[in-house]
Amino acid sequence: MTTQQETRPSAAAKPVRWAADAVATMREGARLRLDYSAQSLWSVDRMIERIRNEGAPFAAVEAVLRGFGAYAGEVIARQSDGEWWATGGDHWIRTPDGRLWDPIDEARRCFAGHGSLRLLCRDATSAQRRP
């Protein structure tokens, strides 16, 4: 008898890789350890703010922001038992309550000065704890 290995939905393949790349880049380049905890998103928000304050053009940091957003999505997925959904090249997290969250776009909003990955995670995961 063989056992079937449980795999994540195919929608998770790209964002999981982007998140892992962001973790490796921050560990190697910025000496910042990201551990997939909700608390680690404080550091990610601050890193995005630092990049914005340095005046980097969006086109130069778009892939980094995508990685940070995917990392936040992985944090949300792990904290809420959510899963990645994809359509038309866009990726979202669907939490068990059926709500969709867009952490990659939220990373872009952070760069524009109007968002927070930490707060997005708080909102997405606190929805799971409500009665």
Side-chain angles (χ1 to χ4, degrees):
M1 180 183 278
T2 62
T3 59
Q4 183 178 5
Q5 182 179 3
E6 185 175 326
T7 60
R8 297 186 72 178
S10 63
K14 286 182 180 179
V16 168
R17 187 176 65 239
W18 297 331
D21 289 347
V23 169
T25 300
M26 289 299 98
R27 183 182 58 242
E28 313 247 334
R31 303 279 189 238
L32 177 64
R33 259 185 133 30
L34 299 177
D35 61 2
Y36 294 94
S37 68
Q39 295 79 13
S40 69
L41 294 174
W42 282 91
S43 297
V44 175
D45 278 348
R46 283 193 305 268
M47 183 62 71
I48 294 172
E49 182 180 357
R50 221 174 288 142
I51 293 168
R52 180 180 68 246
N53 290 339
E54 290 173 359
F58 176 77
V61 297
E62 187 173 8
V64 172
L65 296 173
R66 181 185 67 199
F68 284 151
Y71 173 77
E74 272 299 288
V75 172
I76 293 168
R78 292 174 185 202
Q79 298 281 323
S80 70
D81 202 25
E83 62 184 352
W84 283 101
W85 282 53
T87 184
D90 293 325
H91 295 81
W92 302 280
I93 291 291
R94 183 176 184 269
T95 50
D97 63 2
R99 293 171 49 174
L100 291 173
W101 305 88
D102 192 344
I104 295 172
D105 188 56
E106 189 69 12
R108 294 180 194 121
R109 290 175 37 80
C110 289
F111 181 72
H114 307 294
S116 169
L117 294 172
R118 176 186 59 84
L119 295 178
L120 180 75
C121 180
R122 182 199 66 191
D123 292 348
T125 58
S126 67
Q128 302 308 304
R129 290 188 288 262
R130 291 185 194 137

